C-alpha cells in the first residue's frame, strides 16, 4: 500500500527529475551540434545544426515547464526557430552576429528558406523522443503503482 507522503514525494520530485533530464538533454544536444560541426561540412552540418537548434529549444522549454506536453514543447520550439529565421530578413541578426559569436550562434545572420523545413524536422524528432519518454515514464509509474490518480489510501 502506498502512503500519501510517498505519493506526494514522488509527485514533487517528478518536475525536478524532468528538469534535470531536460538540462542533460540540452547539454547533449549542444555537444551533438558541436560534434556535427567538427566531423561534417556543407549541407549535413548546416541542416543537421538547424534540426538540433530546434531540439535544443525544445529541451529548454521542457526544462522551464516540466509538465508541458510534447506537442506544446515542439510547437513552441518550432515557433521560436521560425521567428528567429524570419527575423533574419531584417538587418538586426547580421549586425549582432558581426559583433558577437554568441549572437551568431543563437540568431544566425542570413535568411535561408530551407532552414524552415529542417527546424520542423527537429521539432518532429524532439516531439517523438519526448512522447516516447513520457509514455515510458507513465508505464513505469503504472507498474509501480505510483501513477497519478486515486489509489488505496
Amino acid at each position: 500500500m502506498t502512503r500519501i507522503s510517498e505519493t506526494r514525494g514522488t509527485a514533487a520530485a517528478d518536475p525536478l527529475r524532468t528538469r534535470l533530464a531536460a538540462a542533460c538533454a540540452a547539454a547533449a544536444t549542444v555537444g551533438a551540434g558541436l560534434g556535427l560541426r567538427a566531423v561534417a561540412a556543407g549541407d549535413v552540418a548546416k541542416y543537421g545544426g538547424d534540426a538540433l537548434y530546434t531540439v535544443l529549444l525544445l529541451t529548454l522549454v521542457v526544462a522551464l515547464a516540466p509538465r508541458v506536453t510534447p506537442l506544446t514543447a515542439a510547437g513552441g520550439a518550432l515557433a521560436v526557430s521560425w521567428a528567429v529565421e524570419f527575423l533574419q530578413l531584417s538587418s538586426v541578426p547580421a549586425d549582432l552576429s558581426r559583433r558577437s559569436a554568441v549572437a551568431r550562434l543563437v540568431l544566425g545572420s542570413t535568411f535561408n528558406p530551407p532552414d524552415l523545413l529542417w527546424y520542423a524536422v527537429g521539432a518532429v524528432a524532439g516531439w517523438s523522443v519526448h512522447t516516447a519518454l513520457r509514455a515510458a515514464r507513465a508505464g513505469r509509474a503504472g507498474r509501480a503503482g505510483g501513477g497519478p490518480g486515486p489509489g488505496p489510501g
Side-chain angles (χ1 to χ4, degrees), residues 8-143:
R8 284 188 188 141
T10 301
D14 230 12
L16 181 59
R17 279 190 222 136
T18 301
R19 282 189 168 108
L20 181 59
C24 290
T29 303
V30 169
L34 294 172
L36 182 62
R37 286 278 192 175
V39 300
D43 288 348
V44 172
K46 180 177 180 4
Y47 296 127
D50 289 345
L52 287 170
Y53 180 84
T54 303
V55 171
L56 175 62
L57 290 175
L58 186 146
T59 64
L60 296 175
V61 168
V62 174
L64 291 172
R67 291 193 170 108
V68 68
T69 66
L71 185 59
T72 300
L78 182 58
V80 170
S81 297
W82 281 356
V84 168
E85 189 67 28
F86 283 112
L87 181 64
Q88 293 170 0
L89 289 169
S90 75
S91 63
V92 173
D95 291 342
L96 293 173
S97 292
R98 280 191 288 276
R99 296 183 192 136
S100 166
V102 173
R104 188 171 35 259
L105 290 171
V106 173
L107 299 176
S109 62
T110 308
F111 179 77
N112 184 28
D115 290 352
L116 300 171
L117 169 69
W118 290 100
Y119 294 138
V121 169
V124 169
W127 170 83
S128 299
V129 171
H130 190 187
T131 299
L133 291 173
R134 279 178 58 130
R137 185 178 347 138
R140 284 192 305 272
R143 284 191 301 277

